[in-house]
Amino acid sequence: MKLRVRDKIPGVRAFAIRALSRFVNDTANSDILDLFLEQLALEQNADVRKMIVLSLPPSTATSQVIIDCTLDVSESVRKAAYCVLANKFPLQSLSIKLRTVILQRGLADRSVAVSKECFKLLRDEWLTKCCNGDPLELLKFLDVETYESVGETVMQTLLKADLVKLLNGASIQQYISSGDAEDGNSMHCAPSIQLIEAEASLYWRTVCQHLQSEAHAKGSDAAATMGTEAEVYAAEASDKNDLLEKILPATVDDYIDLVRAHINAGSIHRFTCRQLLLLGAMFNYSDATNRKSASAFLQELLHKPPEHEIDNEGNVVVIGDGLSFGGDNDWAQAVARLARKVHAALGEFEEVVLAIIEELAQPCRERTADYVQWMHCLSLIGLLLRHAKSMRLLQGKAIEPDELLQSLLLAGAKHAHLDVQRIAVRCLGLFGLLERKPRAELLKQLRISYIKGPHPISVEACKALIDLGMWHGPQEVDRVLNPHTSSKITSEKKSFSPVNFSDLERDLDVDTLDLLFGGFENDDWADSLTGNEDECVHAVLGEGFAKILLLSDNYPSIPPSLHPVILSKLIYLYFRDVSDHLQRLKQCLSVFFEHYPCLCANHKSCISKAFIPVMRSMWPGIFGNSGGSSFMVSQMRKRAVQASRFMLQMMQVPLYVKETQPESENGSTEMPQVIDRCAEVPFDCGEEGLALRIAIEVTSFHSKKTAAEKSYVSALCRILALLQFRLSEQGPIKLMRRLLSRTVECVSTEKDLVKELNRLAEHLMTADRQPDQEFLQDEVNLILGKLEIDFNLDLDGSVAMPQTPAAASTRTRVSRRRVRIEDDDFDEYSPAFTVPATQQTVRSRSQRASKTVAMSKMSATRSVRIDEIEEQEEEDDSDVTSEDSDEY
């Protein structure tokens, strides 16, 4: 059975695993578990992987493996993983991290069957069996303070399934006990507050929000219908509102007392405070008394300085992210939401907040404020700018926008303390977004902070410059800095201008996009910030330029000729080693690569033009970017191969076209369609153009190549053999036939590769409808001109392919080694989705290699002779094989 686990037939492997599962729990057969885990990582068949998952026993060694299978590409494997987790792993046996990962992935799975399986685990096993049907008890197993989004998702799922029952009149009012005055006086005394636990605060917040949304939905249904049906909906909405009123504190004053008590209890109850602040938006503040009480409470919140402490060296340290009001973005959003609800009149929110800013700004203007006061004032300005409707609403208030910019934001950006600089730069970006046209002094300061500031400051300035460039347009931003710049779009620009970051005097002459793109050349900006592994300038630039490509139709001032340059940089960022620790960037780019080919009509042209630059930049030892150990060099080349296969897959994605047809009689329009426009793509934007670029790149190398160059050329030729030509493109077919003869000469020592190129040549010869027709130089120039390539082609040369040398017996062992390495590079390191033609090519090559090995083993004397000769050849070619052994 152990031997049959590796059988070539998937069904045999599955039955062998099923048979061995009877012995996997036996301690004497621990090797069976090791075999299962090893085979699971290598198995390509989904049914076999499913059988392995179902056969794994519950243990600490298998829990993580099974949870990893919840990300499997196969729906059946993911479903099996949740089934095993439900039946074999009790809730208490899993760590908090694993519990949250299981629910986060399962409840959001794209497959309905998988999400139902995860919901079954949540309902039947965890909620019913482990928590006696109490959702509040279940939340205690999930650490909602750390994994708030997971707890919220769980509660929303249970509420939609009607699995949350409010028993014995439970409500938030149970935490508030009102007191009576002495001597029978009926005057209201301060209530006695019972502090709420974190799980209970999240529980009640989600319950109240669910009831409010249900009431609104039923009310909308009642308004949209008539008669008895409308009455039923209205009654249901009334019931939801009545239940909500029973849960919430009876009055606004009671609610304020509840929140204030938790604030005074210290930072340990900060999570509960924020949940309660979110409940504040559910009260009605149309009553003047309620609005007055809530406004006074907001004044307390906004005047409260950021939490800070003194370290061992006597320095004052502000607690939090150092950017948001209150120390974190969630708290700032909760405060702003409550303030917006209390001060709902037009311009009232801006007026109230600016009055407080005027008061806090006085010591800052007088330069007597410490850095904590600066941060308090600037964080409140950031809260205002983020939630203000327009710059017009800021005018005529306690402090004017001009004074806000000059005396606070620009001054804060030049402050000696780095935390003050950082938050001031963030506010400068928000200020520029509210303006109709950004100011020159604002843009100058952002550029200085981007170029000369420390890494955290450069990150914030980079974000601000990208946001302003996308909001106002890069051409408008450049015109503000240099009014004499030409308004004409430079469509001939094919590359970004180099930037000298040490020369600030020429700062204004550099275009915004050139300045930003030049940041990729600063290697120090590739390192992540301390305490935040997902923050660095390269990550911000990568996300920004990805958005620019996706929204390229909105920026006509950016020449389309720059799109391939941007795309090649993004692909390089995605596959390079430095992005391994930047998970946010990788996630952003993975989503970008998924949507870019479907949404952008010129994606094939961009990919075709970006292909060679990507391969050059990722292939060390050829273009001056070599370095590191041989292992690292090998890994870089494998990533280059993976990137090339990834780009080929992107070229085959059909275009998403939104039809703009008139509405039909019933008022509906045609649904958007995915249309394959392969036939409409010109050759320079399709696989023909990519093939010609690769062939010209290969032929540009001299006959004597280094080991790295041989490996690079070999990789390009293998990709070239996968590309297809359309019969309608007769010109590129004729040109490719002439280039192929020179291409084969560059890889003449690799027999299998020569055979693949010969097959391509035979296909092109068949596709050439007029093989005897003379190919003119004007036609060549026209094709090369569309490809934007300068290349001299000898039209007098023959199109006949060179004769393939006879296979020498002395190279059998080397050939066998190369086949193995090809499988490593093109299968193990290829993405999950691969080109079908590639799999067929590799499979046929492996079969030929297996046949060669079998025939060689049949002759013992011949194999001895081969070993003797190969030992001599390896001594002669040691400089090549030593570097090329990990490649093709």
Side-chain angles (χ1 to χ4, degrees), residues 346-404:
L346 182 65
E348 184 180 351
F349 167 77
E350 291 80 5
E351 182 178 3
V352 170
V353 177
L354 280 172
I356 301 176
I357 292 175
E358 165 65 19
E359 181 180 347
L360 298 177
Q362 188 65 29
C364 297
R365 285 195 295 252
E366 297 174 354
R367 301 300 183 261
T368 59
D370 58 14
Y371 99 96
V372 176
Q373 293 174 298
W374 268 101
M375 294 188 67
H376 183 198
C377 181
L378 291 173
S379 64
L380 189 56
I381 293 175
L383 179 73
L384 170 68
L385 296 176
R386 184 179 292 274
H387 295 90
K389 297 297 184 180
S390 67
M391 185 65 73
R392 179 179 57 84
L393 297 177
L394 302 182
Q395 297 173 352
K397 302 298 189 296
I399 181 172
E400 290 289 340
D402 290 341
E403 186 179 0
L404 200 69

Side-chain angles (χ1 to χ4, degrees), residues 43 106 168 201 226 270 276 411 443 462 474 598 765 767 813 828:
E43 182 57 56
N168 302 324
S201 64
M226 299 177 62
R270 186 177 179 82
L276 294 176
L443 295 174
C462 183
C598 304
M765 182 176 62
R813 184 177 176 183
E828 183 179 354

Side-chain angles (χ1 to χ4, degrees), residues 227-342:
T228 305
E229 186 178 5
E231 294 178 359
V232 172
Y233 286 139
E236 292 179 353
S238 178
D239 293 341
K240 300 291 183 181
N241 282 323
D242 293 342
L243 182 57
L244 181 61
E245 290 181 2
K246 292 180 181 180
I247 294 176
L248 291 173
T251 64
V252 172
D253 289 332
D254 289 344
Y255 163 75
I256 293 174
D257 291 336
L258 181 65
V259 179
R260 185 181 288 115
H262 285 83
I263 294 177
N264 296 334
S267 59
I268 192 173
H269 294 282
R270 186 177 179 82
F271 179 85
T272 300
C273 291
R274 183 164 55 82
Q275 303 300 317
L276 294 176
L277 285 177
L278 293 172
L279 287 177
M282 301 182 184
F283 286 91
N284 184 2
Y285 299 101
S286 59
D287 181 74
T289 304
N290 290 343
R291 188 166 61 252
K292 181 179 180 181
S293 300
S295 178
F297 175 63
L298 279 173
Q299 290 283 336
E300 296 180 25
L301 286 179
L302 298 178
H303 277 91
K304 185 177 178 61
E307 296 185 16
H308 55 279
E309 58 185 18
I310 300 177
D311 60 11
N312 297 331
E313 299 178 357
N315 299 319
V316 179
V317 179
V318 173
I319 301 175
D321 60 8
L323 291 172
S324 305
F325 179 79
D328 66 87
N329 183 62
D330 293 334
W331 178 269
Q333 295 298 323
V335 173
R337 184 176 178 182
L338 177 60
R340 272 284 179 196
K341 184 65 181 293
V342 174

Side-chain angles (χ1 to χ4, degrees), residues 94 136 162 166 183 197 224 241 300 316 318 349 358 366 385 440 493 508 580 601 703 719 725 760-761 768 815 834:
L94 298 169
L136 188 57
D162 198 21
L166 302 179
D183 301 330
E197 296 181 350
N241 282 323
E300 296 180 25
V316 179
V318 173
F349 167 77
E358 165 65 19
E366 297 174 354
L385 296 176
K493 186 175 182 179
L508 298 181
D580 289 344
S703 58
I719 298 167
F725 282 70
L760 176 60
D768 193 349
S815 175
T834 55

Side-chain angles (χ1 to χ4, degrees), residues 182-254:
E182 297 179 356
D183 301 330
N185 193 338
S186 60
M187 291 181 62
H188 177 74
C189 296
S192 175
I193 303 297
Q194 178 185 351
L195 297 180
I196 306 176
E197 296 181 350
E199 296 82 10
S201 64
L202 177 67
Y203 173 86
W204 288 116
R205 194 260 294 176
T206 52
V207 168
C208 291
Q209 288 181 341
H210 177 75
L211 291 174
Q212 187 182 50
S213 63
E214 286 287 306
H216 287 171
K218 296 299 182 181
S220 300
D221 293 340
T225 56
M226 299 177 62
T228 305
E229 186 178 5
E231 294 178 359
V232 172
Y233 286 139
E236 292 179 353
S238 178
D239 293 341
K240 300 291 183 181
N241 282 323
D242 293 342
L243 182 57
L244 181 61
E245 290 181 2
K246 292 180 181 180
I247 294 176
L248 291 173
T251 64
V252 172
D253 289 332
D254 289 344

Side-chain angles (χ1 to χ4, degrees), residues 431-432 434-440 443 472 476-477 479-480:
F431 190 93
L434 279 179
E435 293 185 298
R436 289 188 175 182
K437 184 172 69 172
R439 309 190 189 196
L443 295 174
H472 298 286
E476 181 65 25
V477 172
R479 189 179 293 112
V480 170

